[in-house]
Amino acid sequence: MNIGFIGSGHVGQALASLFAQAGHSIVLSNRHGVTNLQDVIARLGNSNIKAGTIEDAAAQEIVVLAFPFNTLSQVQPELLEGKLVIDATNYFPKRDGDLPKFIDHKIATSQYVANYFTGSRVVKAFNSFGVVDLPQLSALPAAKKIALPIAGAANDKTIVKNLIIAIGFVPYDAGELKDSFKIQADSNIFGFEGTRPELIAKLKG
């Protein structure tokens, strides 16, 4: 598949690398422009990964949001109209500001993202722990594969589940976006790396 990334920091680079290794074509972008990405592309060293503008990334089949939550408004909503969007962002009050609607769980952060990108199909994924260990964790044997929670509409989650499996992880269906509080950055599973049974037990704890 053709996958675009808006955001090319640690999250974007780690996921782009894994997707490219699985045979997908990647367009990495950020708000600083294509020239800024040349060193990143060279370091990743995979011909399936190319630099592009945000518009280039938005033109791909799937678009991954991998930028700080507080920069959401810098991406025009109509840019992702009709797209399958993977929301890998996290809201952190210290970085993004004290916003009661998120702190008090009046709305799930990914539901807010979906409401912002009206007309897009948003799936929450790849946000439950840091990306530093992703390459090593993706190579674990079947019995020890790490579970990654996802939330969103059923048909859209199927596509993302297949991506998760392709890069060496196990998907865990956490329901709809509106109920995705339990897999946010302020939940008890944030930072947790475990198998599917271990993740289920953690969610019940």
Side-chain angles (χ1 to χ4, degrees), residues 39-56:
D39 288 345
V40 172
I41 299 300
R43 185 170 64 254
L44 294 177
N46 190 308
S47 60
N48 284 343
I49 306 175
K50 295 179 172 56
T53 63
I54 289 177
E55 290 74 18
D56 293 332

Side-chain angles (χ1 to χ4, degrees), residues 64-169:
V64 181
L65 305 182
F67 47 67
F69 192 85
N70 60 15
T71 64
L72 175 68
S73 62
Q74 296 181 23
V75 181
Q76 297 303 309
E78 60 271 15
L79 196 61
L80 303 183
E81 182 80 27
K83 294 291 181 178
L84 175 56
V85 175
I86 298 176
D87 178 23
T89 68
N90 279 306
Y91 165 69
F92 297 112
K94 287 185 178 180
R95 180 193 65 191
D96 303 318
D98 291 326
L99 302 174
K101 60 189 169 189
F102 300 131
I103 296 171
D104 298 337
H105 286 185
K106 294 178 181 177
I107 185 171
T109 58
S110 284
Q111 183 63 65
Y112 180 86
V113 171
N115 292 351
Y116 179 78
F117 289 110
T118 304
S120 301
R121 297 139 49 213
V122 175
V123 174
K124 184 180 189 70
F126 305 111
N127 70 294
S128 57
F129 57 80
V131 298
V132 175
D133 297 332
L134 278 179
Q136 295 80 8
L137 294 175
S138 69
L140 290 173
K144 296 184 178 181
K145 285 190 179 298
I146 301 299
L148 296 179
I150 65 172
N155 290 342
D156 300 327
K157 282 188 291 191
T158 297
I159 297 172
V160 181
K161 285 177 181 178
N162 289 334
L163 285 175
I164 289 172
I165 293 168
I167 63 172
F169 295 89

